[in-house]
Amino acid sequence: MSPQHDGSMALHVDQLHAAYGSVPVLEGVSLHVAAGEIVALIGPNGAGKTTLLRAVSGLLPSQGRVLLQGRELQGRAPQLIVQAGLIHCPEGRQLFADLSVEDNLRLGAHLRRDREAIGADVERMGTLFPVLQLRRRQRAGSMSGGEQQMLAVARALMSRPVVLMLDEPSFGIAPLMVERIFSVLRQLNAEGLSALVVEQNARAALDLAHRAYVLEGGRVVLEGPSDELASHPGVREAYLGL
């Protein structure tokens, strides 16, 4: 799989350091996502993958540089980072369980001002994820885990991200649901969406992404095209069970 992009940089993370209290978690992590590229971030539990997304999205203090399309985001408030177009879809979905599917979708666009286009995007989410159209008036919390994950991804997409960051989109949901979500990501990527995907399912992540990074102990230990990493002996043994 080769990326469809013009070579420009969508997201650039340079020498990012972050800690929880006095315990360092990220130790000089650098990575990039080119425009129109899907990049996977894999690694063992506790490697710092979720911490990286939290730091990049402004939810955790950090040192280093974070640039979105060349614009410095480091040190900005999370809301300003969202406004700039860097959208974080966290692990665990974090939906408003008592609100309807449609209300959750519209909340994903709460910083937008193009109201007519928001309505059109709600309709499009129902096309991309037909179950959301069927459950449009249903309480989000009453849906299955896989349906809630689709809603979480759709809500993030309602912000019209420049770069979408997904944290463990396949966690705890059925394989058919995972494939539907990844199929939508491939479709949107073909239309120009850039994405950084943290994923415990290394096989699915490497199949989805153009390039990948392996994070261990808060450091990048391997990087390269996904097909090359999938054939790397260390990756095959540690993450693919081969």
Side-chain angles (χ1 to χ4, degrees):
M1 181 189 298
S2 60
Q4 302 298 313
H5 61 81
D6 60 8
S8 61
M9 194 75 71
L11 177 67
H12 184 199
V13 177
D14 185 39
Q15 288 296 306
L16 202 66
H17 294 259
Y20 288 108
S22 61
V23 180
V25 181
L26 302 178
E27 302 191 50
V29 174
S30 297
L31 58 80
H32 71 273
V33 179
E37 185 177 45
I38 298 178
V39 172
L41 185 63
I42 63 175
N45 289 331
K49 304 185 299 296
T50 292
T51 299
L52 175 67
L53 296 195
R54 288 177 51 81
V56 169
S57 58
L59 299 173
L60 179 70
S62 60
Q63 294 79 45
R65 301 195 72 193
V66 178
L67 294 95
L68 184 72
Q69 295 182 321
R71 298 168 56 195
E72 181 68 68
L73 297 185
Q74 177 66 349
R76 290 194 188 186
Q79 178 174 322
L80 296 179
I81 291 175
V82 169
Q83 287 179 318
L86 184 60
I87 309 301
H88 180 185
C89 184
E91 182 181 7
R93 299 183 276 275
Q94 299 184 18
L95 300 171
F96 294 93
D98 289 332
L99 297 183
S100 70
V101 167
E102 181 171 349
D103 286 343
N104 271 273
L105 289 173
R106 289 187 176 275
L107 282 170
H110 74 285
L111 294 178
R112 290 171 53 184
R113 297 293 176 261
D114 50 341
R115 296 303 173 190
E116 290 186 8
I118 289 172
D121 282 354
V122 169
E123 297 298 326
R124 186 166 194 227
M125 292 306 117
T127 300
L128 292 171
F129 299 105
V131 68
L132 301 184
Q133 180 63 33
L134 292 172
R135 308 290 175 86
R136 191 165 177 164
R137 307 298 181 192
Q138 186 171 325
R139 285 180 57 254
S142 68
M143 298 195 300
S144 72
E147 291 167 346
Q148 289 186 35
Q149 185 63 59
M150 290 181 184
L151 177 55
V153 172
R155 183 180 63 178
L157 291 170
M158 286 293 297
S159 298
R160 291 192 172 180
V162 174
V163 175
L164 176 64
M165 299 194 302
L166 293 172
D167 194 357
E168 302 287 4
S170 77
F171 181 74
I173 66 175
L176 283 176
M177 296 286 195
V178 175
E179 181 50 42
R180 180 60 193 168
I181 292 170
F182 282 13
S183 176
V184 168
L185 292 176
R186 290 186 184 97
Q187 177 183 337
L188 295 177
N189 172 250
E191 298 171 9
L193 178 69
S194 305
L196 176 62
V197 181
V198 165
E199 182 53 70
Q200 199 66 32
N201 184 337
R203 188 185 305 277
L206 293 175
D207 183 57
L208 172 70
H210 304 111
R211 291 188 305 108
Y213 294 83
V214 179
L215 195 67
E216 294 181 359
R219 299 176 183 272
V220 172
V221 296
L222 283 172
E223 62 178 283
S226 293
D227 54 355
E228 291 184 9
L229 286 187
S231 63
H232 187 283
V235 172
R236 288 169 63 86
E237 180 179 355
Y239 303 109
L240 302 181
L242 300 174

